Amino acid sequence: MATFLLVPGGGSDPSYWRILVSELADRSHRGIPIDLPCEDDDADLTAYAAAVAAQTPADADRPIVVAHSFGGFTAPLACPLVDASMLVFASAMIPRPGERPEQWWAATGTAQAQREAAASQAYDPDDFDALFYNGVAPDVVAEQIERRQSDTPATQIWPGSALPDVDTRFVLFRDDRFFPESFMRRVVADRLGVEPDVIGGGHMAMLSHAGEFADHLDGLT
């Protein structure tokens, strides 16, 4: 049995991992949805990493840390705290030392990539649901809990000196509109220098393609 620490994106309630947690359990693994202090204006990324460590079960033997979206800034900081065996970026933002998370968008050209993808596929890039929840059933979208995301962790320089020295993978979601595939491939090549693995689903693939996502994670163990 592997333990997966599931680090959420910005303003996300940990409950959005629930379907993936169930699928992992069906494969004899344990998924731990991490609750980050996203609404606390006094909490920075160091506090977020500490929250991951505090919620890691005592019997977790070298867990696998899975980061989604904005969680990509927290997970690398948490890896040494939990003695992680692997770091998995899942359609996640990859940090760079000396850069503030709020600078990531312009540095990577995210907005232009989103506009270009929307134009080529004929959807509205300003429609949040179309961008973020594409492929997720409407009733599942309606169940999602949205939380306020403090600006604090985005405005401070990422505190890591480098990405952790641990086996690191990237899972790209094929139908992601928030971080389109061609854009994400370029970012991964630039910041990680690896070939990403690809599975189905949009940005919230843990809600629309949880079985495929769980199969992929299972294959990493």
Side-chain angles (χ1 to χ4, degrees):
M1 180 187 75
T3 297
F4 294 89
L5 305 180
L6 306 174
V7 183
S12 295
D13 189 84
S15 63
Y16 83 112
W17 294 107
R18 65 192 181 281
I19 305 175
L20 180 62
V21 168
S22 177
E23 292 285 349
L24 287 171
D26 289 343
R27 291 157 179 79
S28 301
H29 299 303
R30 176 171 56 176
I32 306 296
I34 300 297
D35 188 359
L36 296 178
C38 63
E39 296 169 308
D40 184 353
D41 291 326
D42 291 327
D44 58 11
L45 288 170
T46 300
Y48 283 27
V52 176
Q55 294 169 52
T56 300
D59 63 348
D61 183 20
R62 305 211 65 208
I64 296 173
V65 179
V66 181
H68 179 235
S69 203
F70 189 73
F73 291 106
T74 297
L77 303 174
C79 282
L81 302 180
V82 301
D83 191 25
S85 62
M86 183 181 297
L87 169 60
V88 180
F89 288 101
S91 193
M93 301 165 78
I94 305 166
R96 177 167 283 168
E99 181 180 79
R100 292 177 173 82
E102 66 180 3
Q103 296 173 319
W104 190 93
W105 309 93
T108 59
T110 310
Q112 180 179 348
Q114 290 176 341
R115 289 193 299 269
E116 291 174 351
S120 67
Q121 299 177 45
Y123 58 84
D124 182 358
D126 297 319
D127 181 339
F128 181 79
D129 283 355
L131 206 65
F132 209 73
Y133 288 113
N134 62 302
V136 181
D139 60 321
V140 176
V141 174
E143 294 174 348
Q144 298 320 297
I145 299 171
E146 295 181 6
R147 297 166 62 181
R148 186 181 73 85
Q149 174 60 58
S150 169
D151 292 334
T152 299
T155 58
Q156 300 177 359
I157 292 175
W158 187 66
S161 59
L163 292 176
D165 184 15
V166 64
D167 186 7
T168 301
R169 314 292 181 90
F170 195 98
V171 181
L172 190 153
F173 300 152
R174 184 180 298 110
D175 304 311
D176 197 337
R177 293 175 175 175
F178 195 65
F179 293 150
E181 179 177 357
S182 60
F183 159 78
M184 206 73 257
R185 284 185 178 276
R186 173 172 55 79
V187 173
V188 172
D190 178 45
R191 298 198 171 209
L192 280 184
V194 302
E195 181 69 21
D197 299 319
V198 182
I199 66 171
H203 195 63
M204 301 295 276
M206 64 288 297
L207 294 174
S208 64
H209 289 66
E212 186 177 353
F213 197 174
D215 282 341
H216 182 78
L217 295 176
D218 179 49
L220 298 178
T221 62

